[in-house]
Amino acid sequence: MSSPLDRLKSLTNKISSYETARKENLKILQKLYKVLEINKKVKEFKDLFEFKAINLSGASLLAESLGEIKEGKYLQILAISYDKNATKKSTNVSLAYFGKAQNVNVQIKDMVVEFIVRYRFEKSFMTLENYYDMIREFEVDG
């Protein structure tokens, strides 16, 4: 069994590697945001994270079939906006449309899939930070 110091070192290394991966992920995500011309629909990169989620139609996001084309579907990046005061609470917004999935250049399709996965990676960190801040509200002083 490892000592508490060894476990602490291991945890510190893991956290450090996640933070490094996150910074690199954001750089690549911002490049893809421009290359895929999502900046035409969402003017500021930071505003991407105001969406509840970003999904993909036309290709798989499952680990076992990542990027696999869905025949007869259109390749499209869809964002889900949420307004709790509206009659219809959530709305799909097309951020980018690429045509019939089977006709899209493989490099473009791969960049689209990568964009979605990288977006979700960053969004998961943001969610984690949000819940971390929320649980701090339960901490008892003293």
Side-chain angles (χ1 to χ4, degrees):
M1 188 136 201
S2 62
S3 72
L5 183 57
D6 290 338
R7 289 193 303 268
L8 180 60
K9 284 180 184 177
S10 175
L11 181 60
T12 302
N13 287 338
K14 188 176 275 192
I15 291 169
S16 175
S17 69
Y18 281 153
E19 211 36 58
T20 302
R22 184 179 183 188
K23 285 178 185 174
E24 184 62 23
N25 182 65
L26 274 171
K27 285 181 197 173
I28 296 169
L29 184 61
Q30 196 158 16
K31 278 185 194 174
L32 291 169
Y33 158 81
K34 291 175 184 170
V35 169
L36 296 172
E37 298 182 345
I38 295 166
N39 59 332
K40 289 183 177 180
K41 293 274 181 123
V42 180
K43 297 298 179 199
E44 297 290 325
F45 177 72
K46 66 178 177 47
D47 292 342
L48 278 176
F49 301 101
E50 296 299 316
F51 291 111
K52 198 77 171 160
I54 294 182
N55 291 323
L56 173 65
S57 70
S60 174
L61 290 172
L62 299 173
E64 61 273 4
S65 58
L66 188 63
E68 194 173 289
I69 293 294
K70 296 178 182 177
E71 291 296 320
K73 300 285 186 178
Y74 295 91
L75 190 66
Q76 188 171 8
I77 298 173
L78 298 166
I80 300 170
S81 63
Y82 184 79
D83 181 354
K84 66 181 177 183
N85 298 318
T87 305
K88 185 178 177 190
K89 303 290 184 208
S90 64
T91 308
N92 287 346
V93 178
S94 177
L95 298 184
Y97 175 80
F98 301 94
K100 280 252 187 197
Q102 64 263 25
N103 297 336
V104 175
N105 175 293
V106 174
Q107 285 182 305
I108 297 293
K109 186 260 309 168
D110 288 347
M111 284 191 286
V112 168
V113 172
E114 181 180 4
F115 174 82
I116 302 296
V117 173
R118 289 185 178 283
Y119 170 85
R120 289 180 176 184
F121 183 71
E122 176 57 25
K123 190 77 170 176
S124 68
F125 276 105
M126 292 176 164
T127 301
L128 178 66
E129 289 170 340
N130 179 53
Y131 282 111
Y132 177 76
D133 291 342
M134 286 173 66
I135 63 172
R136 294 180 75 198
E137 294 295 319
F138 297 107
E139 292 176 0
V140 180
D141 292 333

